[in-house]
């Protein structure tokens, strides 16, 4: 019987028995993450040694870990971002990589808009004040009718565009691919990153993390942003230069930041955590019951297809 390591802690939370049975029907025995947290490289190296397949979340799947896994033939990403996987080495060694495309798109798009509204309306600040009997009014920013830039127009980015249209927002979009039918339907101004930084009141990031997109928002280009700009990142932490963001936010040259992702997770001594105009969460945008079910099921289906190909 083949063996597959499953690392995401939320995998199969609502349908685990069904998925285990499906794997076993295809001659696959699941082995679950025993650590209760994101596995590190050393743990992954040890755990993968006798595995034929891997269902992985954000745990690091380095080249060294893959070298320790001579039987490994398939990696099913529980999500869409594969920057934590040594893809070149996997390709060279005939290890198939799949993703759960669109399984969590609605959940993440919802969460991006939620973060945007929480930051703009200072919801956390107001809530904390009220819990301490501070009933003072705190001025905030409108959302309706403002301008939003969406960096990355895949399934999630398109979902944000659709939601922003309900707020009658003017939408700017950027991607390496151009979908004219979608752009026309939602009246999206397709443009470059610098224009979005200059013109927008909000920016929401939905790009993959690559050599080209790392620190796509940085000290140099954010100097040209509006002082009331709010940035939301539910994609990958490396898209932002966190040190530059800290300085700009501390000096109130930007209004606020909503983060579901960091360059290092959990963040270690991040100065961003000290700022009141930064709202953070634990890479949880895709954590809805519906998305967890869909990602779990799709990851299993993808893994079975890859191992049986």
């Amino acid at each position: 019987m083949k063996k597959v390591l499953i690392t995401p802690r939320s995998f199969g939370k609502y349908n685990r028995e069904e998925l285990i049975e499906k794997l076993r029907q295809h001659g696959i025995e699941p082995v679950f993450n025993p650590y209760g947290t994101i596995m590190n490289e050393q743990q992954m190296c040890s755990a993968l040694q006798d595995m034929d397949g891997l269902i992985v979340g954000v745990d690091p799947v380095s080249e060294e870990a893959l070298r320790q896994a001579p039987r490994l033939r398939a990696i099913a990403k529980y999500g869409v971002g594969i920057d934590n996987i040594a893809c070149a080495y996997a390709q060279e060694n005939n290890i198939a990589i799949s993703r759960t495309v669109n399984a969590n798109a609605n959940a993440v798009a919802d969460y991006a808009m939620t973060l945007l509204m929480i930051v703009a309306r200072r919801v956390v600040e107001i809530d904390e004040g009220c819990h301490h009997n501070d009933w003072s009014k705190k001025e905030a920013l409108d959302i309706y009718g403002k301008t939003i830039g969406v960096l990355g127009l895949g399934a999630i980015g398109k979902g944000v565009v659709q939601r922003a249209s309900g707020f009658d927002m003017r939408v700017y979009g950027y991607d390496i691919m151009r979908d004219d039918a979608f752009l026309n339907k939602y009246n999206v101004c397709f443009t470059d990153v610098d224009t979005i930084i200059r013109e927008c009141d909000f920016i929401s990031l939905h790009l993959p993390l690559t050599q080209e997109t790392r620190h796509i928002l940085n000290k140099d280009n954010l100097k040209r942003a509006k002082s009331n700009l709010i940035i939301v990142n539910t994609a990958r932490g490396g898209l932002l230069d966190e040190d530059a963001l800290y300085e700009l936010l501390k000096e109130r040259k930007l209004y606020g930041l909503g983060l579901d992702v960091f360059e290092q997770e959990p963040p270690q001594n991040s100065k961003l955590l000290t700022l009141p105009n930064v709202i953070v969460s634990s890479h949880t945008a895709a954590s809805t019951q519906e998305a967890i079910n869909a990602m779990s099921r799709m990851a299993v289906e993808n893994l079975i297809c890859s191992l049986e190909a």
Side-chain angles (χ1 to χ4, degrees):
M1 182 171 277
K2 296 183 178 70
K3 291 172 68 176
V4 55
L5 175 66
I6 301 174
T7 70
R9 289 154 289 168
S10 64
F11 172 89
K13 186 175 181 180
Y14 305 101
N15 55 356
R16 180 169 290 199
E17 293 306 315
E18 167 200 335
L19 298 176
I20 290 174
E21 179 59 27
K22 184 166 187 175
L23 287 166
R24 286 174 175 163
Q25 286 174 357
H26 288 266
I28 300 169
E29 183 63 28
V31 177
F32 291 94
N33 177 352
Y35 300 101
T37 186
I38 297 169
M39 293 173 65
N40 60 36
E41 183 182 37
Q42 184 178 0
Q43 291 165 343
M44 190 67 75
C45 285
S46 176
L48 283 178
Q49 288 181 5
D50 60 346
M51 295 295 159
D52 301 280
L54 170 65
I55 294 176
V56 67
V58 296
D59 319 75
V61 188
S62 65
E63 190 170 316
E64 180 58 31
L66 294 179
R67 283 201 187 97
Q68 302 298 320
R71 288 169 45 182
L72 195 72
R73 286 294 167 262
I75 300 171
K77 173 69 185 208
Y78 183 79
V80 292
I82 54 176
D83 51 283
N84 61 313
I85 301 171
C87 295
Y89 183 89
Q91 185 176 11
E92 290 167 6
N93 290 272
N94 298 314
I95 302 171
I97 298 175
S98 58
R99 304 180 299 146
T100 55
V101 178
N102 293 343
N104 63 9
N106 281 322
V108 180
D110 283 351
Y111 199 82
M113 290 301 292
T114 301
L115 274 179
L116 183 151
M117 290 186 277
I118 287 172
V119 176
R121 297 306 307 265
R122 299 171 67 183
V123 172
V124 172
E125 235 181 303
I126 293 167
D127 174 76
E128 288 178 351
C130 289
H131 275 85
H132 293 88
N133 206 31
D134 175 6
W135 226 247
S136 61
K137 308 300 181 187
K138 292 180 172 60
E139 291 183 6
L141 298 179
D142 280 339
I143 299 154
Y144 186 86
K146 293 293 188 69
T147 302
I148 185 171
V150 182
L151 302 184
L153 293 171
I156 297 170
K158 285 178 176 176
V160 171
V161 170
Q162 291 169 319
R163 287 154 177 77
S165 69
F167 286 85
D168 201 23
M169 300 179 88
R170 176 164 172 74
V171 181
Y172 286 69
Y174 164 81
D175 201 286
I176 59 170
M177 304 290 289
R178 183 177 178 126
D179 183 345
D180 285 315
F182 180 86
L183 298 175
N184 292 335
K185 181 177 180 179
Y186 290 96
N187 196 29
V188 178
C189 176
F190 193 78
T191 186
D192 57 80
V193 175
D194 282 343
T195 300
I196 286 173
I197 290 170
R198 287 197 313 271
E199 299 294 328
C200 290
D201 305 297
F202 302 92
I203 294 176
S204 191
L205 290 122
H206 305 284
L207 293 163
L209 181 60
T210 65
Q211 211 168 13
E212 290 73 28
T213 62
R214 182 173 293 279
H215 290 184
I216 194 166
L217 297 186
N218 54 67
K219 182 177 181 179
D220 292 334
N221 58 26
L222 286 173
K223 287 179 179 178
R224 297 187 284 276
K226 297 179 180 180
S227 61
N228 272 352
L229 175 66
I230 289 173
I231 299 170
V232 169
N233 189 8
T234 55
R236 285 293 182 269
L239 297 173
L240 299 175
D241 181 341
E242 293 179 4
D243 290 337
L245 263 292
Y246 170 78
E247 294 298 333
L248 292 166
L249 288 158
K250 183 182 178 183
E251 295 169 10
R252 299 286 176 171
K253 293 179 179 177
L254 299 177
Y255 186 87
L257 177 64
L259 290 180
D260 188 47
V261 289
F262 284 81
E263 289 200 69
Q264 181 184 4
E265 295 180 2
Q268 300 296 316
N269 302 315
S270 173
K271 293 184 290 185
L272 289 171
L273 298 177
T274 67
L275 299 177
N277 51 346
V278 177
I279 302 301
V280 302
S281 57
S282 54
H283 205 143
T284 196
S287 296
T288 66
Q289 293 182 17
E290 295 84 353
I292 288 168
N293 278 345
M295 286 193 297
S296 299
R297 188 173 291 110
M298 191 180 293
V300 165
E301 291 170 354
N302 288 343
L303 186 79
I304 290 169
C305 286
S306 294
L307 287 176
E308 295 183 348

